[in-house]
Amino acid sequence: MTDESWRSPLPTPAEMAAWDRAAIEDFGIPARVLMENAAREALAALMEAHGPLTGKSALVLAGPGNNGGDAFALARLLDGQGANVFVLHTRPRKQYRGETRANLLLAARLGLSLELATPGQALPEADIVVDGLLGTGFSGTLNPAMLHLVREVNRLGRQVFVFSLDIPSGLDGLNGTPRPEAVRAHATVTFQAAKTGLLQPGAEEWTGRLLVRDIGIPRQVRDAALPRQWLLTPAVLDLRPRPEPAMHKGAAGHVLVLGGSEGLTGAPLLASLGALRGGAGLTTLGCPAGLTDAARAGFPEVMALPLGHGRSWDQDLAENLDARRFDAVVLGPGLGRSDGAGRFVQTLLRRRLPPLVLDADALYFLARDPETAALIPEGSVLTPHPGEAARLLGTDTPSIQANRPAAVRELARRFRAVALLKGAGSLIASPDGDLHLCPIVAPCLATGGSGDVLAGLLGSLLARGLDPLRSTGLAVYWHGSGGTMLDSLYPARGCLAREIADILPEVHKEHPC
């Protein structure tokens, strides 16, 4: 595995356009060659998604830009495969320019049926509808004529196969939302790399099956202008530390989980189980001495560190705690929001600490007290859900959800830490602004305690020496993969948080080192 195979570029539409320009202007690759490559890859993707094309009727919709050029070129290749092709274009022929015009004229010379779309017309039925109306450069909202065509495609799509080129028309290539409607494709081919909007949670409602195809943009172009967004790939699971035949428990990392309060003793236990199931050699649960038995709940694998003599948190518990003998600390699960807990968090952060995960109630105190937030050590990881992120940024949950990428980047910048914004399509940002998307959506993970398990799993990876960014990416993908396995076992939901921890080792049967 190469160092970067754990992630793949996820360019914005503007970054993708810059790659195109560089390939053409800096390396001399003719734009028509790139368009021909796109059309050939689209044909192969369509045959993969739909099946044989001979004798099929294909309605090809060609829009005003380069996406329309791809459609004209694909129409010619469909004709070569023996399909009965009818092309409907949205601009008069004389208004097309460059390689798009060249492919239009070639299709005409080959005798393909080409007609100009008229306002409000009903689209004819066909076995396949190719959507080449608008590409990833589309912004704003659909004009009335395009909106009508999108609606017509969706009407036909109830009975015929719809195939979109690069992106379903009407879908925002940056954030994956319809503007205000979008083509609902059965399959979408996108060129060179998936764009950010195509992999946002819910975008599959419009993209259908997403096929990414290389069109020959040189590696040198891509390496010279790496995007600031990345997609976690299955190869991220290969980042987990490999077990050594002669290893012992001390060499597998010792995680300290600090949390638990009256009525919330289950959270630190779940984090401890997440750490153990993630491969930690040792896990210790630290909490007020009077809560120790309740927090461990009879799990002998979890060691206890009774702090003080009572049942509540305060600063003296941190003053007497030497966290340096542990390899990672998970702070916050079930900690509670008492003033004493706040003093404990601030005092602990003033001390030298190993790699640190700040989760749950620890985040509450960061949001409440800027002085506490200023103490976050370098190399820490924050793991808020949207409500916690809103509190940290002084806004509300709908605002966070409306622009999750901007929110997680601001968290990482403001708190100088790796930030994980949990939820469907979890996002990870580093302080330098790089963003990583986990594409896994697993409804079984939406249950109380799931985040505690994730925090413990993350702690186990930090304890074994993996850097904060890769630890977070691996933990999120691993946790999500376990969730998809549970979705198959509990299709109507109903799994328990500890079952999320228990299934973590099973994930690697599907993806061994």
Side-chain angles (χ1 to χ4, degrees), residues 228-384:
R228 303 307 304 274
Q229 301 76 221
W230 301 84
L231 176 71
L232 297 178
T233 73
V236 72
L237 294 172
D238 291 334
L239 292 177
R240 76 190 189 280
R242 295 175 181 269
E244 299 293 337
M247 74 186 304
H248 57 85
K249 60 187 179 184
H254 190 170
V255 178
L256 173 63
V257 177
L258 294 170
S261 57
E262 296 284 0
L264 296 172
T265 53
L269 176 61
L270 288 168
S272 299
L273 295 176
L276 288 172
R277 290 300 194 185
L282 297 166
T283 300
T284 294
L285 194 164
C287 66
L291 300 175
T292 301
D293 290 342
R296 289 183 66 212
F299 278 83
E301 301 90 348
V302 178
M303 295 186 293
L305 178 62
L307 300 174
H309 303 286
R311 298 173 66 86
S312 59
W313 295 94
D314 214 326
Q315 66 187 53
D316 61 323
L317 275 62
E319 290 170 350
N320 297 318
L321 171 63
D322 182 11
R324 291 175 298 175
R325 63 189 180 92
F326 301 93
D327 298 305
V329 174
V330 177
L331 173 62
L335 186 72
R337 298 180 179 179
S338 68
D339 289 341
R343 290 189 291 271
F344 172 83
V345 170
Q346 186 175 108
T347 303
L348 183 73
L349 291 179
R350 292 184 186 279
R351 302 172 67 85
R352 291 189 62 184
L353 296 171
L356 176 65
V357 178
L358 291 150
D359 184 56
D361 291 326
L363 301 173
Y364 170 81
F365 296 110
L366 301 184
R368 190 182 73 171
D369 182 15
E371 184 179 347
T372 300
L375 298 172
I376 298 173
E378 184 179 354
S380 298
V381 182
L382 278 61
T383 61

Side-chain angles (χ1 to χ4, degrees), residues 58-65 67-72 75 78 84-93 96 104 107 112-126 128-134 145-146 148-150 152-153 155-156 165 169:
L59 171 62
V60 178
L61 303 175
N67 200 243
D70 295 338
F72 288 129
L78 285 169
N84 300 310
V85 181
F86 172 59
V87 181
L88 199 63
H89 50 93
T90 62
R91 274 186 177 177
R93 295 190 191 188
Y96 284 99
L104 164 63
L112 272 64
S113 176
L114 297 103
E115 289 187 12
L116 176 65
T118 57
Q121 78 177 95
L123 295 181
E125 297 209 1
I128 300 166
V129 176
V130 174
D131 162 33
L133 292 171
L134 296 169
M146 280 293 180
H148 170 76
L149 289 173
V150 165
E152 278 292 290
V153 172
R155 176 183 65 81
L156 293 178
L165 300 178
S169 295

Side-chain angles (χ1 to χ4, degrees), residues 191-250:
F191 304 122
Q192 198 60 53
K195 289 72 181 177
T196 52
L198 293 172
L199 290 169
Q200 296 303 311
E204 68 276 5
E205 180 179 346
W206 290 274
T207 64
R209 182 181 176 186
L210 184 64
L211 302 106
V212 181
R213 293 293 186 266
D214 191 322
I215 60 169
I217 292 178
R219 174 183 54 80
Q220 290 83 350
V221 168
R222 293 175 276 133
D223 288 349
L226 290 174
R228 303 307 304 274
Q229 301 76 221
W230 301 84
L231 176 71
L232 297 178
T233 73
V236 72
L237 294 172
D238 291 334
L239 292 177
R240 76 190 189 280
R242 295 175 181 269
E244 299 293 337
M247 74 186 304
H248 57 85
K249 60 187 179 184

Side-chain angles (χ1 to χ4, degrees), residues 1-7 231-243 278 428 436 460-462 464-478 508 511-513:
M1 183 190 77
T2 62
D3 184 54
E4 292 300 310
S5 66
W6 62 280
R7 61 183 188 173
L231 176 71
L232 297 178
T233 73
V236 72
L237 294 172
D238 291 334
L239 292 177
R240 76 190 189 280
R242 295 175 181 269
I428 304 160
H436 293 74
S460 75
L461 298 171
L462 291 171
R464 296 181 69 181
L466 203 59
D467 70 75
L469 178 61
R470 286 172 174 78
S471 289
T472 308
L474 171 54
V476 170
Y477 201 97
W478 188 349
H508 295 288
H511 193 95
C513 284

